Amino acid sequence: MSRPTHDRGHRAKKVSLEIDHSSARPFARPSSQPSARPSKENQNRDSSATRQKAPGSAPKKASAGQTPRLSPYERFMSLLRFNITFKLSLGYTLRLFFLLIFLFSAMGIGFGYYLYDRASNNLDIESAYVLDRVYSSNASTLDPLNDYLTQRHLTLLLYDMDETLLYASDETEPDFQAATDTTAFEMNGFPSFGTLRTLGMDTLADGTNVYYVIQKSLSEEQSLIETVFPISLILFLALMLTSSQSASRMAGKHLRPITVMTEQIKDMSLSNRLNVSGTKDELKDLALTFNTMLDDIEQSYDREKQFVSDASHELRTPIAVIKGYAGMLNRWGKDDPSVLEESIQAILSETENMHSLVESLLFIARNDKGTLQMEKSAFNFSELLCEVVKETHLIDTKHNITDHIQPDLWVFGAPDKLKQALRVFIDNSIKYTPDGGDIEIDLVGSTSDLVIKIADNGIGISEEDLPHIFDRFYRADKSRSKMKETPAGGTGLGLSIAKIILDQHDGGVRVESDLNLGTTFSLYLPRYSVD
């Protein structure tokens, strides 16, 4: 990464950038034992096992130009794949059907029971009148009562103590056992009613003891039920038809935006978005979610294109250099020791650069794929940072490097990867700090985490460049960089890799920078307790 510069006489506004994953993922204290990771042999065995066809797995897909063969069950189910409007309408209709069946059945049974109960109450009243007339008469003088009995749909039967029929108000002559069989309101006979009857023993005016049976026919109630039933059936069918049509129209109306969205999606590209104006229901949330997904896909697609373009650009230069020196060797360098030595050294150097670039790309690719693994263990981070500072003093003698490192601070992580990240930030300060500048490296610990500060008084980072310094292959505008004459160019992947390493350790980074005054990187790592 190269940093832009500015006129020395102008002090730029201070800007800062914080990338700290502790808010989204709190620092968690690791266990005393490092997490077990599968060996490479086990991974290969697992991956090869997944490639083997498991029993009961789906059949192979048909090759191009062949129609896939469907089982009879799949062909049958394909006939039932109606559109959502039909399914909703059918679902509403079936629910309404069962609801109406229940309501009409309950109303019919309730109405029938009401008629039966009313007839039973009337029978009690009418029986009292008939028994009063029977008490004041005898079996031969009961004929005048027939008109009342016929009008009320009643039948009067009198039996002596020997259960012999003495009197019948109609032409029937049932025996005593048949006449005294009681009936009640039964569900299994609905809407057909039985016959109501009341019976007992009484004494006639001439002193004759008799058994009496008063029967009441429910023909009127039966006729009323038979009249109401067809009307209810017609009303039921009318309600079902109108409700089904209403359900279909309502489902189509509510699902019409989905149809419109489907038509829009057919002709969409990554640059187009669904129109969400005028909608206020869940479909708006669906459209907004879809638009957000398209935004993410477009951004990811643009990043991938930029990544491929930048990687190709980075590989083009060393390949061109190697090709050039190989051609020179092929033409006349074989017999010239100086040209041979120069070509070999140049090819080795560019090959090393390509190897470093490819390793960085593989590191990032593994992280994106989720297969990046680090061998972690508990170690003394203070000693590691002291080692890095010592190596920095040996490598760089043109800057004033000072350090304040709190001893005996431990972390749980991968020492080699954390050392690589520290080297990235320190090298960044060395690159963009003029000779004779100051670089300060501090380490302090709190109860929960460690804070590593790497501060310099170099050229700083501009406000517009600061949010992008961790982007892959990102470089600030070189036309404004005072360091563009230096050989410290880099590939633009160092800070991206360092951030990935911190993320893998549940850490974070915060950047503060004053253009032309310096930059401070604050690194955060969860502290490991050795108690």
Side-chain angles (χ1 to χ4, degrees), residues 8-53:
R8 285 291 185 181
H10 175 71
R11 174 167 179 167
K13 181 174 65 174
K14 181 177 182 179
V15 294
S16 64
L17 170 68
E18 181 173 2
I19 303 177
D20 192 346
H21 298 271
S22 59
S23 59
R25 181 174 53 181
F27 287 149
R29 179 177 297 176
S31 60
S32 58
Q33 297 295 332
S35 59
R37 298 187 180 274
S39 63
K40 184 175 182 181
E41 180 182 356
N42 292 335
Q43 291 177 350
N44 295 335
R45 185 183 303 115
D46 294 340
S47 62
S48 62
T50 57
R51 290 193 294 266
Q52 296 177 358
K53 182 176 179 181

mmCIF file of all heavy atoms in Angstrom, residues 8-53:
data_model
loop_
_atom_site.group_PDB
_atom_site.id
_atom_site.type_symbol
_atom_site.label_atom_id
_atom_site.label_comp_id
_atom_site.label_asym_id
_atom_site.label_seq_id
_atom_site.Cartn_x
_atom_site.Cartn_y
_atom_site.Cartn_z
ATOM 1 N N ARG A 8 3.725 20.042 2.858
ATOM 2 C CA ARG A 8 4.178 20.018 4.246
ATOM 3 C C ARG A 8 3.591 21.145 5.068
ATOM 4 O O ARG A 8 3.399 21.025 6.258
ATOM 5 C CB ARG A 8 5.715 20.111 4.287
ATOM 6 C CG ARG A 8 6.401 18.813 3.885
ATOM 7 C CD ARG A 8 6.189 17.762 4.928
ATOM 8 N NE ARG A 8 6.928 16.552 4.606
ATOM 9 C CZ ARG A 8 6.896 15.487 5.344
ATOM 10 N NH1 ARG A 8 6.167 15.459 6.434
ATOM 11 N NH2 ARG A 8 7.587 14.417 4.994
ATOM 12 N N GLY A 9 3.290 22.267 4.427
ATOM 13 C CA GLY A 9 2.819 23.400 5.198
ATOM 14 C C GLY A 9 1.367 23.291 5.589
ATOM 15 O O GLY A 9 0.866 24.108 6.354
ATOM 16 N N HIS A 10 0.646 22.294 5.072
ATOM 17 C CA HIS A 10 -0.780 22.184 5.348
ATOM 18 C C HIS A 10 -1.028 20.979 6.238
ATOM 19 O O HIS A 10 -0.666 19.872 5.901
ATOM 20 C CB HIS A 10 -1.558 22.034 4.034
ATOM 21 C CG HIS A 10 -3.020 21.800 4.252
ATOM 22 N ND1 HIS A 10 -3.859 22.770 4.708
ATOM 23 C CD2 HIS A 10 -3.754 20.685 4.055
ATOM 24 C CE1 HIS A 10 -5.074 22.281 4.781
ATOM 25 N NE2 HIS A 10 -5.034 21.001 4.397
ATOM 26 N N ARG A 11 -1.679 21.210 7.362
ATOM 27 C CA ARG A 11 -1.996 20.103 8.267
ATOM 28 C C ARG A 11 -3.399 19.611 7.951
ATOM 29 O O ARG A 11 -4.361 20.348 8.038
ATOM 30 C CB ARG A 11 -1.916 20.550 9.724
ATOM 31 C CG ARG A 11 -2.397 19.455 10.700
ATOM 32 C CD ARG A 11 -2.038 19.772 12.118
ATOM 33 N NE ARG A 11 -2.532 18.742 13.023
ATOM 34 C CZ ARG A 11 -2.160 18.617 14.280
ATOM 35 N NH1 ARG A 11 -1.272 19.444 14.778
ATOM 36 N NH2 ARG A 11 -2.670 17.676 15.034
ATOM 37 N N ALA A 12 -3.517 18.337 7.575
ATOM 38 C CA ALA A 12 -4.806 17.781 7.182
ATOM 39 C C ALA A 12 -5.612 17.401 8.410
ATOM 40 O O ALA A 12 -5.087 17.243 9.512
ATOM 41 C CB ALA A 12 -4.606 16.558 6.299
ATOM 42 N N LYS A 13 -6.903 17.253 8.189
ATOM 43 C CA LYS A 13 -7.799 16.850 9.259
ATOM 44 C C LYS A 13 -7.497 15.425 9.693
ATOM 45 O O LYS A 13 -7.272 14.548 8.876
ATOM 46 C CB LYS A 13 -9.248 16.945 8.777
ATOM 47 C CG LYS A 13 -10.269 16.558 9.834
ATOM 48 C CD LYS A 13 -11.679 16.811 9.336
ATOM 49 C CE LYS A 13 -11.971 15.901 8.165
ATOM 50 N NZ LYS A 13 -13.384 16.024 7.735
ATOM 51 N N LYS A 14 -7.557 15.163 10.978
ATOM 52 C CA LYS A 14 -7.257 13.847 11.513
ATOM 53 C C LYS A 14 -8.433 12.915 11.248
ATOM 54 O O LYS A 14 -9.577 13.246 11.497
ATOM 55 C CB LYS A 14 -6.996 13.924 13.017
ATOM 56 C CG LYS A 14 -6.643 12.570 13.637
ATOM 57 C CD LYS A 14 -6.335 12.743 15.090
ATOM 58 C CE LYS A 14 -5.936 11.405 15.723
ATOM 59 N NZ LYS A 14 -5.612 11.539 17.138
ATOM 60 N N VAL A 15 -8.152 11.742 10.721
ATOM 61 C CA VAL A 15 -9.188 10.763 10.439
ATOM 62 C C VAL A 15 -8.798 9.462 11.097
ATOM 63 O O VAL A 15 -7.626 9.206 11.381
ATOM 64 C CB VAL A 15 -9.367 10.553 8.912
ATOM 65 C CG1 VAL A 15 -9.902 11.800 8.273
ATOM 66 C CG2 VAL A 15 -8.055 10.148 8.258
ATOM 67 N N SER A 16 -9.784 8.646 11.360
ATOM 68 C CA SER A 16 -9.509 7.363 12.001
ATOM 69 C C SER A 16 -10.442 6.318 11.436
ATOM 70 O O SER A 16 -11.526 6.605 10.956
ATOM 71 C CB SER A 16 -9.697 7.449 13.527
ATOM 72 O OG SER A 16 -11.048 7.732 13.841
ATOM 73 N N LEU A 17 -9.997 5.088 11.519
ATOM 74 C CA LEU A 17 -10.770 3.937 11.063
ATOM 75 C C LEU A 17 -10.622 2.847 12.091
ATOM 76 O O LEU A 17 -9.514 2.532 12.513
ATOM 77 C CB LEU A 17 -10.269 3.445 9.697
ATOM 78 C CG LEU A 17 -10.829 2.108 9.215
ATOM 79 C CD1 LEU A 17 -12.302 2.258 8.902
ATOM 80 C CD2 LEU A 17 -10.068 1.632 7.996
ATOM 81 N N GLU A 18 -11.758 2.293 12.496
ATOM 82 C CA GLU A 18 -11.718 1.213 13.482
ATOM 83 C C GLU A 18 -12.398 -0.010 12.905
ATOM 84 O O GLU A 18 -13.537 0.048 12.457
ATOM 85 C CB GLU A 18 -12.450 1.632 14.761
ATOM 86 C CG GLU A 18 -12.416 0.539 15.834
ATOM 87 C CD GLU A 18 -12.993 1.007 17.149
ATOM 88 O OE1 GLU A 18 -13.440 2.160 17.203
ATOM 89 O OE2 GLU A 18 -12.977 0.233 18.092
ATOM 90 N N ILE A 19 -11.676 -1.099 12.888
ATOM 91 C CA ILE A 19 -12.229 -2.387 12.486
ATOM 92 C C ILE A 19 -12.029 -3.316 13.658
ATOM 93 O O ILE A 19 -10.983 -3.918 13.824
ATOM 94 C CB ILE A 19 -11.550 -2.937 11.225
ATOM 95 C CG1 ILE A 19 -11.667 -1.935 10.082
ATOM 96 C CG2 ILE A 19 -12.142 -4.275 10.822
ATOM 97 C CD1 ILE A 19 -10.968 -2.360 8.834
ATOM 98 N N ASP A 20 -13.028 -3.369 14.520
ATOM 99 C CA ASP A 20 -12.944 -4.146 15.751
ATOM 100 C C ASP A 20 -14.121 -5.107 15.783
ATOM 101 O O ASP A 20 -15.263 -4.690 15.837
ATOM 102 C CB ASP A 20 -12.996 -3.202 16.960
ATOM 103 C CG ASP A 20 -12.630 -3.914 18.245
ATOM 104 O OD1 ASP A 20 -12.616 -5.161 18.218
ATOM 105 O OD2 ASP A 20 -12.362 -3.229 19.231
ATOM 106 N N HIS A 21 -13.835 -6.391 15.733
ATOM 107 C CA HIS A 21 -14.876 -7.388 15.687
ATOM 108 C C HIS A 21 -15.348 -7.781 17.078
ATOM 109 O O HIS A 21 -16.146 -8.689 17.222
ATOM 110 C CB HIS A 21 -14.380 -8.639 14.939
ATOM 111 C CG HIS A 21 -14.025 -8.339 13.520
ATOM 112 N ND1 HIS A 21 -14.955 -8.418 12.515
ATOM 113 C CD2 HIS A 21 -12.874 -7.910 12.952
ATOM 114 C CE1 HIS A 21 -14.382 -8.092 11.368
ATOM 115 N NE2 HIS A 21 -13.124 -7.783 11.609
ATOM 116 N N SER A 22 -14.889 -7.102 18.091
ATOM 117 C CA SER A 22 -15.321 -7.467 19.435
ATOM 118 C C SER A 22 -16.771 -7.116 19.672
ATOM 119 O O SER A 22 -17.440 -7.727 20.486
ATOM 120 C CB SER A 22 -14.438 -6.759 20.471
ATOM 121 O OG SER A 22 -14.519 -5.350 20.295
ATOM 122 N N SER A 23 -17.284 -6.077 18.948
ATOM 123 C CA SER A 23 -18.684 -5.721 19.135
ATOM 124 C C SER A 23 -19.611 -6.790 18.596
ATOM 125 O O SER A 23 -20.634 -7.102 19.171
ATOM 126 C CB SER A 23 -18.976 -4.383 18.445
ATOM 127 O OG SER A 23 -18.682 -4.483 17.067
ATOM 128 N N ALA A 24 -19.248 -7.369 17.441
ATOM 129 C CA ALA A 24 -20.065 -8.420 16.843
ATOM 130 C C ALA A 24 -19.725 -9.790 17.406
ATOM 131 O O ALA A 24 -20.555 -10.659 17.490
ATOM 132 C CB ALA A 24 -19.895 -8.434 15.339
ATOM 133 N N ARG A 25 -18.496 -9.950 17.813
ATOM 134 C CA ARG A 25 -18.045 -11.238 18.331
ATOM 135 C C ARG A 25 -17.135 -10.966 19.514
ATOM 136 O O ARG A 25 -15.965 -10.675 19.363
ATOM 137 C CB ARG A 25 -17.327 -12.024 17.240
ATOM 138 C CG ARG A 25 -16.846 -13.393 17.673
ATOM 139 C CD ARG A 25 -16.280 -14.154 16.509
ATOM 140 N NE ARG A 25 -15.258 -13.376 15.822
ATOM 141 C CZ ARG A 25 -14.621 -13.800 14.757
ATOM 142 N NH1 ARG A 25 -14.921 -14.972 14.248
ATOM 143 N NH2 ARG A 25 -13.700 -13.050 14.174
ATOM 144 N N PRO A 26 -17.662 -11.023 20.754
ATOM 145 C CA PRO A 26 -16.871 -10.647 21.927
ATOM 146 C C PRO A 26 -15.635 -11.510 22.058
ATOM 147 O O PRO A 26 -15.604 -12.664 21.631
ATOM 148 C CB PRO A 26 -17.853 -10.893 23.079
ATOM 149 C CG PRO A 26 -19.197 -10.949 22.447
ATOM 150 C CD PRO A 26 -18.990 -11.468 21.075
ATOM 151 N N PHE A 27 -14.614 -10.887 22.671
ATOM 152 C CA PHE A 27 -13.387 -11.646 22.927
ATOM 153 C C PHE A 27 -13.727 -12.796 23.861
ATOM 154 O O PHE A 27 -14.262 -12.617 24.949
ATOM 155 C CB PHE A 27 -12.338 -10.754 23.593
ATOM 156 C CG PHE A 27 -11.742 -9.750 22.637
ATOM 157 C CD1 PHE A 27 -11.304 -8.524 23.090
ATOM 158 C CD2 PHE A 27 -11.645 -10.032 21.284
ATOM 159 C CE1 PHE A 27 -10.750 -7.606 22.223
ATOM 160 C CE2 PHE A 27 -11.095 -9.120 20.419
ATOM 161 C CZ PHE A 27 -10.648 -7.897 20.893
ATOM 162 N N ALA A 28 -13.452 -13.988 23.415
ATOM 163 C CA ALA A 28 -13.721 -15.170 24.221
ATOM 164 C C ALA A 28 -12.397 -15.767 24.684
ATOM 165 O O ALA A 28 -11.470 -15.918 23.895
ATOM 166 C CB ALA A 28 -14.505 -16.214 23.427
ATOM 167 N N ARG A 29 -12.334 -16.066 25.969
ATOM 168 C CA ARG A 29 -11.110 -16.660 26.494
ATOM 169 C C ARG A 29 -11.029 -18.107 26.067
ATOM 170 O O ARG A 29 -11.910 -18.909 26.358
ATOM 171 C CB ARG A 29 -11.126 -16.582 28.019
ATOM 172 C CG ARG A 29 -9.892 -17.206 28.674
ATOM 173 C CD ARG A 29 -9.924 -17.034 30.164
ATOM 174 N NE ARG A 29 -9.896 -15.640 30.521
ATOM 175 C CZ ARG A 29 -9.985 -15.196 31.765
ATOM 176 N NH1 ARG A 29 -10.077 -16.041 32.756
ATOM 177 N NH2 ARG A 29 -9.984 -13.899 32.007
ATOM 178 N N PRO A 30 -10.010 -18.501 25.356
ATOM 179 C CA PRO A 30 -9.903 -19.892 24.887
ATOM 180 C C PRO A 30 -9.608 -20.836 26.026
ATOM 181 O O PRO A 30 -9.165 -20.441 27.104
ATOM 182 C CB PRO A 30 -8.749 -19.836 23.877
ATOM 183 C CG PRO A 30 -7.930 -18.675 24.326
ATOM 184 C CD PRO A 30 -8.884 -17.675 24.915
ATOM 185 N N SER A 31 -9.880 -22.074 25.784
ATOM 186 C CA SER A 31 -9.605 -23.085 26.792
ATOM 187 C C SER A 31 -8.106 -23.314 26.905
ATOM 188 O O SER A 31 -7.311 -22.907 26.073
ATOM 189 C CB SER A 31 -10.333 -24.390 26.412
ATOM 190 O OG SER A 31 -9.867 -24.840 25.164
ATOM 191 N N SER A 32 -7.737 -24.022 27.962
ATOM 192 C CA SER A 32 -6.311 -24.244 28.193
ATOM 193 C C SER A 32 -5.705 -25.182 27.167
ATOM 194 O O SER A 32 -4.500 -25.182 26.966
ATOM 195 C CB SER A 32 -6.112 -24.825 29.599
ATOM 196 O OG SER A 32 -6.853 -26.032 29.716
ATOM 197 N N GLN A 33 -6.574 -26.007 26.531
ATOM 198 C CA GLN A 33 -6.061 -26.931 25.531
ATOM 199 C C GLN A 33 -6.393 -26.413 24.156
ATOM 200 O O GLN A 33 -7.485 -25.921 23.927
ATOM 201 C CB GLN A 33 -6.690 -28.321 25.719
ATOM 202 C CG GLN A 33 -6.334 -28.965 27.046
ATOM 203 C CD GLN A 33 -4.859 -29.261 27.154
ATOM 204 O OE1 GLN A 33 -4.200 -29.478 26.153
ATOM 205 N NE2 GLN A 33 -4.324 -29.268 28.364
ATOM 206 N N PRO A 34 -5.463 -26.488 23.223
ATOM 207 C CA PRO A 34 -5.765 -26.031 21.867
ATOM 208 C C PRO A 34 -6.838 -26.891 21.251
ATOM 209 O O PRO A 34 -6.955 -28.076 21.556
ATOM 210 C CB PRO A 34 -4.419 -26.167 21.123
ATOM 211 C CG PRO A 34 -3.666 -27.187 21.905
ATOM 212 C CD PRO A 34 -4.093 -27.013 23.337
ATOM 213 N N SER A 35 -7.641 -26.262 20.385
ATOM 214 C CA SER A 35 -8.733 -26.986 19.734
ATOM 215 C C SER A 35 -8.175 -28.030 18.787
ATOM 216 O O SER A 35 -7.185 -27.823 18.109
ATOM 217 C CB SER A 35 -9.628 -26.008 18.955
ATOM 218 O OG SER A 35 -8.862 -25.331 17.993
ATOM 219 N N ALA A 36 -8.832 -29.181 18.798
ATOM 220 C CA ALA A 36 -8.398 -30.269 17.919
ATOM 221 C C ALA A 36 -8.787 -29.977 16.494
ATOM 222 O O ALA A 36 -9.887 -29.536 16.225
ATOM 223 C CB ALA A 36 -9.046 -31.591 18.380
ATOM 224 N N ARG A 37 -7.861 -30.211 15.598
ATOM 225 C CA ARG A 37 -8.117 -29.978 14.177
ATOM 226 C C ARG A 37 -7.882 -31.276 13.427
ATOM 227 O O ARG A 37 -6.983 -32.050 13.749
ATOM 228 C CB ARG A 37 -7.197 -28.883 13.622
ATOM 229 C CG ARG A 37 -7.408 -27.544 14.301
ATOM 230 C CD ARG A 37 -6.596 -26.472 13.592
ATOM 231 N NE ARG A 37 -6.784 -25.193 14.203
ATOM 232 C CZ ARG A 37 -7.764 -24.377 13.888
ATOM 233 N NH1 ARG A 37 -8.623 -24.729 12.966
ATOM 234 N NH2 ARG A 37 -7.881 -23.208 14.469
ATOM 235 N N PRO A 38 -8.679 -31.552 12.425
ATOM 236 C CA PRO A 38 -8.475 -32.790 11.667
ATOM 237 C C PRO A 38 -7.171 -32.751 10.899
ATOM 238 O O PRO A 38 -6.749 -31.721 10.398
ATOM 239 C CB PRO A 38 -9.691 -32.814 10.723
ATOM 240 C CG PRO A 38 -10.106 -31.391 10.614
ATOM 241 C CD PRO A 38 -9.775 -30.761 11.932
ATOM 242 N N SER A 39 -6.527 -33.892 10.854
ATOM 243 C CA SER A 39 -5.277 -33.968 10.117
ATOM 244 C C SER A 39 -5.545 -33.917 8.633
ATOM 245 O O SER A 39 -6.662 -34.102 8.162
ATOM 246 C CB SER A 39 -4.552 -35.267 10.468
ATOM 247 O OG SER A 39 -5.338 -36.380 10.048
ATOM 248 N N LYS A 40 -4.490 -33.653 7.886
ATOM 249 C CA LYS A 40 -4.611 -33.583 6.433
ATOM 250 C C LYS A 40 -5.033 -34.921 5.873
ATOM 251 O O LYS A 40 -5.817 -35.010 4.915
ATOM 252 C CB LYS A 40 -3.281 -33.128 5.826
ATOM 253 C CG LYS A 40 -3.343 -32.927 4.325
ATOM 254 C CD LYS A 40 -2.052 -32.356 3.810
ATOM 255 C CE LYS A 40 -2.110 -32.094 2.311
ATOM 256 N NZ LYS A 40 -0.834 -31.549 1.800
ATOM 257 N N GLU A 41 -4.540 -36.004 6.484
ATOM 258 C CA GLU A 41 -4.918 -37.336 6.010
ATOM 259 C C GLU A 41 -6.402 -37.574 6.199
ATOM 260 O O GLU A 41 -7.085 -38.095 5.319
ATOM 261 C CB GLU A 41 -4.100 -38.385 6.769
ATOM 262 C CG GLU A 41 -4.435 -39.824 6.341
ATOM 263 C CD GLU A 41 -3.643 -40.831 7.149
ATOM 264 O OE1 GLU A 41 -2.803 -40.376 7.969
ATOM 265 O OE2 GLU A 41 -3.852 -42.031 6.957
ATOM 266 N N ASN A 42 -6.943 -37.167 7.381
ATOM 267 C CA ASN A 42 -8.369 -37.337 7.627
ATOM 268 C C ASN A 42 -9.199 -36.489 6.693
ATOM 269 O O ASN A 42 -10.270 -36.894 6.248
ATOM 270 C CB ASN A 42 -8.702 -36.992 9.078
ATOM 271 C CG ASN A 42 -8.104 -37.998 10.041
ATOM 272 O OD1 ASN A 42 -7.863 -39.147 9.658
ATOM 273 N ND2 ASN A 42 -7.868 -37.573 11.274
ATOM 274 N N GLN A 43 -8.711 -35.257 6.421
ATOM 275 C CA GLN A 43 -9.444 -34.393 5.494
ATOM 276 C C GLN A 43 -9.521 -35.025 4.122
ATOM 277 O O GLN A 43 -10.573 -35.011 3.469
ATOM 278 C CB GLN A 43 -8.780 -33.027 5.409
ATOM 279 C CG GLN A 43 -8.911 -32.207 6.689
ATOM 280 C CD GLN A 43 -8.183 -30.898 6.561
ATOM 281 O OE1 GLN A 43 -7.444 -30.691 5.607
ATOM 282 N NE2 GLN A 43 -8.390 -30.015 7.510
ATOM 283 N N ASN A 44 -8.398 -35.572 3.652
ATOM 284 C CA ASN A 44 -8.416 -36.203 2.340
ATOM 285 C C ASN A 44 -9.351 -37.401 2.325
ATOM 286 O O ASN A 44 -10.063 -37.650 1.348
ATOM 287 C CB ASN A 44 -7.003 -36.638 1.944
ATOM 288 C CG ASN A 44 -6.072 -35.447 1.760
ATOM 289 O OD1 ASN A 44 -6.542 -34.346 1.463
ATOM 290 N ND2 ASN A 44 -4.787 -35.647 1.951
ATOM 291 N N ARG A 45 -9.330 -38.160 3.446
ATOM 292 C CA ARG A 45 -10.196 -39.323 3.512
ATOM 293 C C ARG A 45 -11.660 -38.905 3.513
ATOM 294 O O ARG A 45 -12.490 -39.530 2.852
ATOM 295 C CB ARG A 45 -9.886 -40.129 4.780
ATOM 296 C CG ARG A 45 -10.688 -41.456 4.853
ATOM 297 C CD ARG A 45 -10.410 -42.176 6.155
ATOM 298 N NE ARG A 45 -8.985 -42.438 6.331
ATOM 299 C CZ ARG A 45 -8.259 -41.900 7.292
ATOM 300 N NH1 ARG A 45 -8.825 -41.083 8.156
ATOM 301 N NH2 ARG A 45 -6.955 -42.159 7.409
ATOM 302 N N ASP A 46 -11.995 -37.825 4.262
ATOM 303 C CA ASP A 46 -13.373 -37.347 4.299
ATOM 304 C C ASP A 46 -13.806 -36.836 2.951
ATOM 305 O O ASP A 46 -14.930 -37.074 2.501
ATOM 306 C CB ASP A 46 -13.530 -36.244 5.351
ATOM 307 C CG ASP A 46 -13.320 -36.787 6.749
ATOM 308 O OD1 ASP A 46 -13.446 -38.015 6.925
ATOM 309 O OD2 ASP A 46 -13.026 -35.982 7.643
ATOM 310 N N SER A 47 -12.909 -36.068 2.299
ATOM 311 C CA SER A 47 -13.289 -35.506 1.009
ATOM 312 C C SER A 47 -13.478 -36.583 -0.036
ATOM 313 O O SER A 47 -14.358 -36.503 -0.886
ATOM 314 C CB SER A 47 -12.218 -34.503 0.541
ATOM 315 O OG SER A 47 -10.968 -35.172 0.376
ATOM 316 N N SER A 48 -12.644 -37.642 0.013
ATOM 317 C CA SER A 48 -12.821 -38.733 -0.942
ATOM 318 C C SER A 48 -14.082 -39.520 -0.631
ATOM 319 O O SER A 48 -14.741 -40.027 -1.533
ATOM 320 C CB SER A 48 -11.594 -39.656 -0.899
ATOM 321 O OG SER A 48 -11.453 -40.236 0.396
ATOM 322 N N ALA A 49 -14.416 -39.613 0.657
ATOM 323 C CA ALA A 49 -15.633 -40.351 1.016
ATOM 324 C C ALA A 49 -16.872 -39.633 0.540
ATOM 325 O O ALA A 49 -17.847 -40.257 0.137
ATOM 326 C CB ALA A 49 -15.697 -40.543 2.537
ATOM 327 N N THR A 50 -16.844 -38.303 0.593
ATOM 328 C CA THR A 50 -18.009 -37.550 0.133
ATOM 329 C C THR A 50 -18.194 -37.662 -1.350
ATOM 330 O O THR A 50 -19.301 -37.457 -1.856
ATOM 331 C CB THR A 50 -17.861 -36.068 0.517
ATOM 332 O OG1 THR A 50 -16.635 -35.565 -0.051
ATOM 333 C CG2 THR A 50 -17.824 -35.890 2.020
ATOM 334 N N ARG A 51 -17.119 -37.961 -2.090
ATOM 335 C CA ARG A 51 -17.250 -38.090 -3.541
ATOM 336 C C ARG A 51 -17.833 -39.445 -3.931
ATOM 337 O O ARG A 51 -18.274 -39.633 -5.060
ATOM 338 C CB ARG A 51 -15.893 -37.902 -4.211
ATOM 339 C CG ARG A 51 -15.381 -36.461 -4.144
ATOM 340 C CD ARG A 51 -14.211 -36.276 -5.086
ATOM 341 N NE ARG A 51 -13.059 -37.062 -4.676
ATOM 342 C CZ ARG A 51 -12.082 -36.596 -3.915
ATOM 343 N NH1 ARG A 51 -12.135 -35.359 -3.480
ATOM 344 N NH2 ARG A 51 -11.052 -37.351 -3.581
ATOM 345 N N GLN A 52 -17.819 -40.412 -2.985
ATOM 346 C CA GLN A 52 -18.378 -41.710 -3.305
ATOM 347 C C GLN A 52 -19.897 -41.648 -3.218
ATOM 348 O O GLN A 52 -20.454 -40.928 -2.403
ATOM 349 C CB GLN A 52 -17.871 -42.769 -2.314
ATOM 350 C CG GLN A 52 -16.354 -42.967 -2.400
ATOM 351 C CD GLN A 52 -15.901 -43.970 -1.363
ATOM 352 O OE1 GLN A 52 -16.704 -44.460 -0.596
ATOM 353 N NE2 GLN A 52 -14.636 -44.274 -1.358
ATOM 354 N N LYS A 53 -20.552 -42.370 -4.067
ATOM 355 C CA LYS A 53 -22.012 -42.354 -4.107
ATOM 356 C C LYS A 53 -22.558 -43.164 -2.941
ATOM 357 O O LYS A 53 -22.266 -44.340 -2.784
ATOM 358 C CB LYS A 53 -22.492 -42.947 -5.427
ATOM 359 C CG LYS A 53 -24.005 -42.914 -5.567
ATOM 360 C CD LYS A 53 -24.416 -43.431 -6.925
ATOM 361 C CE LYS A 53 -25.927 -43.436 -7.068
ATOM 362 N NZ LYS A 53 -26.357 -43.955 -8.365
#
